[in-house]
Amino acid sequence: MNEGHDDPPKLPVRERSYRPGTGRHRRPLPATLPPDAPALVLAVPGKAGDIAAEIASIIRLDNPQVDLRLVSLVDGGADLSKEFVSAAADRPAAETAAVVVPLVTGPHPRVMRAVRDAVTQSETPVMIAHPLGPHPLLAEALHMRLAEAGLARVDRMRLFNVTSPVDGIIVATTGGDEGARGADATAVLLAARLTLPVVPAALDGVPNVADAAERLRKIGANRLALVPFVIGPEADHDRATAAAEAIGAGCAAPLGAHEAVARLVGMRYGSALGSYEESDED
């Protein structure tokens, strides 16, 4: 333990760059695509505001060859259906017009239902990609958000004399009960990074944040932190902040326009096309 020694000074947080084309990892997408390649339609579960626009900008910067279209689901999917029709008009008949990537981190029944309904209504050949998580990149991004808020060490647990600011973490997501279950894998990945107990919770289902806090406290974790496992448009951050305050926990920022989110969108699109074989990154 760190008895008799002062805690080391807090180091600045620096996000790892996920720009493709460097290091040992393959590009999420090929450098070139045919002109009639399916459009990448990013389905936003809320207003397509600043966060979604910034994510789209990162994707376009790294993948200028992709026909990227940003569409909000606030109207239940009507605009999404129109975008599919528009994409189909620019491509050969009967070929895949678009790959739609839901901008959610895990299972989200309402969003996926809206996407499926939009595909049916458009009567166009569209592929639906999986949600962005679970994936080690998202666990790393959650770690960064916790560190930025002073709720986790900046580095992974390698030196046992480094004291953690908290002793239990709640990964809070949306998507109801199914969303909470889907966040369990990410909670395990984050726990492995920090060597701390991490449990999932739903902001709109069960187990809720209070349930998760009780579970952690039963195993002796009393200094708690909550990290929203959401990108931003799908949930009001004030809701997560209020839930954290209600259990006396610190609260990190949502994932937002983290580069890991943009990279995973490209990976989901490429995987749907069969042009990229995903491999877990650490």
Side-chain angles (χ1 to χ4, degrees), residues 7-62:
D7 290 342
K10 184 178 177 182
L11 299 175
V13 177
R14 181 175 65 86
E15 292 181 0
R16 191 175 75 182
S17 174
Y18 297 103
R19 299 294 186 194
T22 61
R24 63 186 176 86
H25 301 297
R26 297 174 57 187
R27 290 180 61 97
L29 292 170
T32 60
L33 288 171
D36 58 354
L40 193 172
V41 179
L42 196 57
V44 183
K47 293 183 179 179
D50 293 344
I51 292 174
E54 187 174 350
I55 292 169
S57 294
I58 296 170
I59 297 168
R60 289 189 178 107
L61 178 64
D62 289 341

Side-chain angles (χ1 to χ4, degrees), residues 62 67 70 86-87 92 109 125 130 133 147 160-161 195 235 273 275:
D62 289 341
D67 176 11
L70 190 64
S86 172
H130 293 297
F160 288 94
N161 64 343
T195 63
L273 294 181
S275 61

Side-chain angles (χ1 to χ4, degrees), residues 36-162:
D36 58 354
L40 193 172
V41 179
L42 196 57
V44 183
K47 293 183 179 179
D50 293 344
I51 292 174
E54 187 174 350
I55 292 169
S57 294
I58 296 170
I59 297 168
R60 289 189 178 107
L61 178 64
D62 289 341
N63 305 281
Q65 75 280 24
V66 176
D67 176 11
L68 174 62
R69 307 180 183 208
L70 190 64
V71 184
S72 170
L73 293 175
V74 291
D75 61 357
D79 285 346
L80 189 59
S81 182
K82 293 176 183 176
E83 201 64 56
F84 293 154
V85 174
S86 172
D90 297 334
R91 288 161 176 81
E95 292 193 11
T96 302
V99 173
V100 56
V101 179
L103 195 60
V104 290
T105 57
H108 201 300
R110 179 182 59 80
V111 168
M112 299 308 295
R113 183 168 54 251
V115 169
R116 288 192 295 268
D117 289 348
V119 172
T120 300
Q121 292 168 9
S122 70
E123 298 182 342
T124 57
V126 174
M127 299 176 68
I128 302 175
H130 293 297
L132 304 185
H135 196 281
L137 286 177
L138 292 179
E140 181 175 348
L142 291 177
H143 180 181
M144 288 297 98
R145 293 296 182 243
L146 285 162
E148 288 164 354
L151 298 170
R153 295 176 305 273
V154 177
D155 60 339
R156 296 175 67 170
M157 184 60 174
R158 293 188 180 94
L159 301 175
F160 288 94
N161 64 343
V162 179

Side-chain angles (χ1 to χ4, degrees), residues 167-260:
D167 47 28
I169 295 171
I170 298 169
V171 171
T173 190
T174 58
D177 304 2
E178 187 175 342
R181 290 192 297 271
D184 189 63
T186 300
V188 171
L189 291 169
L190 185 59
R193 292 186 65 86
L194 300 178
T195 63
L196 290 173
V198 181
V199 298
L203 294 170
D204 54 359
V206 294
N208 59 30
V209 171
D211 296 332
E214 181 179 2
R215 178 180 168 188
L216 286 169
R217 286 176 175 138
K218 282 182 177 178
I219 60 173
N222 293 304
R223 296 175 301 150
L224 305 182
L226 182 148
V227 59
F229 189 37
V230 297
I231 295 166
E234 71 274 43
D236 185 352
H237 183 46
D238 290 343
R239 186 173 186 177
T241 301
E245 290 177 350
I247 61 168
C251 188
L255 290 168
H258 194 286
E259 284 191 270

